[in-house]
Amino acid sequence: MLKLFYSPGACSLASHIALEEAGADYEAVRVDLKSGEQNRPEYRKLNPKGRVPALATERGVLTESPVILGYIAQTHPEAKLAPNDDSFAFGDMQAFNMFLAASVHVAYAHAFRPERYVKGEAGVAAAKARTPEALDEYFNQIEDRFADGRPYVHGEAYTVSDPYLYVFTRWLERDGLGHPERYPQVLAHRQRLDTRPAVRKVIAAEGLPWEI
Ligand SMILES: N[C@@H](CCC(=O)N[C@@H](CS)C(=O)NCC(=O)O)C(=O)O
């Protein structure tokens, strides 16, 4: 059985939703980031990076959201969570997922964990100030993707990119960092996901509020 190590509402939410959408046989194990459980030796042994998500499989532990999402999609082909038979389309999906991981997530991290990137009070203030600007640039790019009326990130078909985007759209309201009203199509996408049974089940399982 797969074991997903997650923290409520964190980026691990995407993998959690993907496992549920896939109908996977899995157990969700909560890691308390607030109390620093990710840095305890038992967890570091499992994931030396001290982060969530981590997915324990029968062959070992996978980390990094785009990798875990791709793995879930490939190991549950019947759920059709990725274009598994089309290498270019699969790569294109992973390019979007990497953009979320390396640009969008990192933009948020400059506000949530500035000490990871800069030193000193002035540096921290500058890092935090950069987050809303960077998020605006990235979310405008994402909004543009939906200009053709597509319901999901990659078109008519739902893929693992959708719950991954959902995580970061939920975060737009955190600490007033983003301007959700500027991205109506992205917000409509979030509402579309809110109605999916798998999303509702995982939101309830993680104890998250609907109103963010
Ligand atoms: N590149 C990783 C980032 C994982 C990550 O930063 N996870 C955060 C939660 S969203 C975390 O575990 N933070 C704990 C910490 O930084 O101590 C991924 O995409 O999975």
Side-chain angles (χ1 to χ4, degrees), residues 7 10-12 33 38-39 50-53 63-66 68 101 105 113 116 164 171:
S7 171
C11 53
S12 48
L33 296 184
Q38 72 275 30
N39 296 317
R51 308 272 184 99
V52 293
T63 59
E64 303 299 334
S65 297
I68 293 174
H105 194 172
R113 301 202 183 260
R116 188 171 282 158
Y164 199 21
W171 288 5

Side-chain angles (χ1 to χ4, degrees), residues 167-180:
V167 167
F168 298 116
T169 311
R170 286 177 61 92
W171 288 5
L172 278 171
E173 269 100 342
R174 277 175 72 172
D175 303 335
L177 287 170
H179 298 282

Side-chain angles (χ1 to χ4, degrees), residues 21 80-81 96 142-163 165-166 185-186 188-197 199:
E21 298 273 12
K80 295 189 172 25
L81 294 174
F96 182 81
I142 298 169
E143 180 75 4
D144 286 347
R145 294 181 74 90
F146 288 99
D148 58 5
R150 62 180 63 192
Y152 300 115
V153 171
H154 298 291
E156 292 299 319
Y158 181 89
T159 68
V160 289
S161 292
D162 293 293
L165 172 60
Y166 178 76
Q185 299 310 321
V186 175
H189 174 266
R190 181 168 94 188
Q191 282 159 5
R192 209 166 288 131
L193 262 73
D194 278 342
T195 64
R196 292 181 75 86
V199 174

